[in-house]
Amino acid sequence: VLPPSTGKIDFHNVTARYTEAGPPILSDLTLSIRPGTRIAVVGRTGSGKSTLALSLLRFTQLSKGTITIDDISIQDIGLETLRRDLVTMIPQDAILFEGSIRENLDPFSSHSDAELQSALDACSNISTSPSAATNQLLRLGTAIHPHGANLSHGQRQILSLARALVRPSRIMLLDESTASVDSATEARMQVIMGEQFRGRTVVAICHRLRGVVGGFFDQVLVLGNGEVKE
Ligand code: ATP
Ligand code: MG
């Protein structure tokens, strides 16, 4: 069950910095995302794509402007509500820790084994040959080494997707969440996201245009120097 939010996002003339004395990373950025749309964010290295995502989670300081979700300023939304209930982020570097896959998927034990297993099942058979290694791995009891060291980058991203599937938030932020998998696997991850994220707002940072073609996205946002270029 999704929380009572439509997933509408607006940036109004936002200037954002990481520190008060630091340089502006987003400059006077205005952007409107309709509920339930899927936006690809592209732009060169350092153009501010990750910063845009982090700003929605209040990891930056706004020296100007406001960011709203469903027309409510995120400054007026509690951090826990914002980061746990409203928005789910798959970060650029998947955060995995030592423990079982079950613990990594659901650190606060708020889901049943059946729910977690069905998220893993949705992600199994995801990678193309040789897929056996990945499928063997996607079990609740599988041990993960610190920082996910025993997994490939692509396997970490598949696990991050499984983790996102159990989160019922209206807004999904994906930071290059398919960058480390081959193109067939990426296409299948997008099919799963298309099914599982139906009706949710998806903001996906795509470093390579490869992930943008294929009809998954409704709109493409081009960032340059912290500004909307297109
Ligand atoms: P990439 O495609 O390489 O992931 P990006 O578009 O996501 O790049 P950002 O990570 O948003 O780029 O970085 C934009 C600018 O913000 C860069 O100049 C970077 O140095 C700066 N920056 C990023 N993270 C921080 C931070 N935690 N503290 C200070 N500056 C930062
Ligand atoms: Mg980035």
Side-chain angles (χ1 to χ4, degrees):
V1 178
L2 296 174
S5 142
T6 68
K8 177 174 186 279
I9 304 169
D10 289 278
F11 282 61
H12 304 274
N13 304 105
V14 169
T15 296
R17 310 163 195 269
Y18 281 97
T19 58
E20 219 145 298
I25 309 294
L26 301 180
S27 309
D28 200 29
L29 185 141
T30 295
L31 164 70
S32 219
I33 301 178
R34 291 188 306 279
T37 50
R38 297 181 185 153
I39 310 280
V41 181
V42 301
R44 301 187 61 177
T45 289
S47 59
K49 304 181 298 295
S50 295
T51 305
L52 177 86
L54 291 171
S55 294
L56 187 64
L57 292 168
R58 281 175 57 189
F59 283 109
T60 63
Q61 303 182 15
L62 305 193
S63 51
K64 186 167 159 284
T66 51
I67 300 172
T68 61
I69 293 177
D70 293 332
D71 300 315
I72 299 168
S73 167
I74 58 171
Q75 302 300 326
D76 299 332
I77 300 172
L79 275 186
E80 201 174 286
T81 304
L82 179 69
R83 295 179 185 170
R84 193 198 53 198
D85 302 334
L86 292 178
V87 183
T88 294
M89 179 157 181
I90 303 185
Q92 203 161 2
D93 302 304
I95 298 157
L96 295 170
F97 50 85
E98 186 171 17
S100 65
I101 283 195
R102 196 200 193 291
E103 289 164 324
N104 271 272
L105 287 181
D106 181 24
F108 304 109
S109 271
S110 39
H111 299 278
S112 67
D113 281 358
E115 280 175 277
L116 299 175
Q117 190 59 56
S118 93
L120 284 182
D121 288 345
C123 293
S124 70
N125 284 314
I126 201 172
S127 63
T128 48
S129 69
S131 62
T134 302
N135 295 338
Q136 277 299 312
L137 196 99
L138 289 176
R139 297 172 196 281
L140 288 178
T142 302
I144 303 294
H145 298 177
H147 309 296
N150 56 326
L151 310 183
S152 74
H153 282 279
Q155 287 168 337
R156 285 176 220 170
Q157 293 198 313
I158 291 170
L159 210 49
S160 281
L161 174 62
R163 175 153 58 188
L165 295 185
V166 300
R167 299 274 308 262
S169 63
R170 277 281 179 195
I171 298 171
M172 309 301 291
L173 294 179
L174 317 175
D175 197 348
E176 309 203 20
S177 59
T178 57
S180 301
V181 299
D182 58 66
S183 48
T185 303
E186 176 171 52
R188 297 174 76 151
M189 284 175 80
Q190 289 191 341
V191 169
I192 292 170
M193 290 189 256
E195 291 165 2
Q196 305 267 334
F197 297 169
R198 190 164 293 137
R200 305 195 206 184
T201 303
V202 178
V203 180
I205 295 163
C206 301
H207 198 83
R208 291 168 305 172
L209 279 172
R210 189 190 80 187
V212 178
V213 297
F216 180 72
F217 294 105
D218 301 306
Q219 281 178 294
V220 178
L221 168 73
V222 183
L223 274 189
N225 284 322
E227 296 172 12
V228 175
K229 292 296 180 199
E230 244 181 274

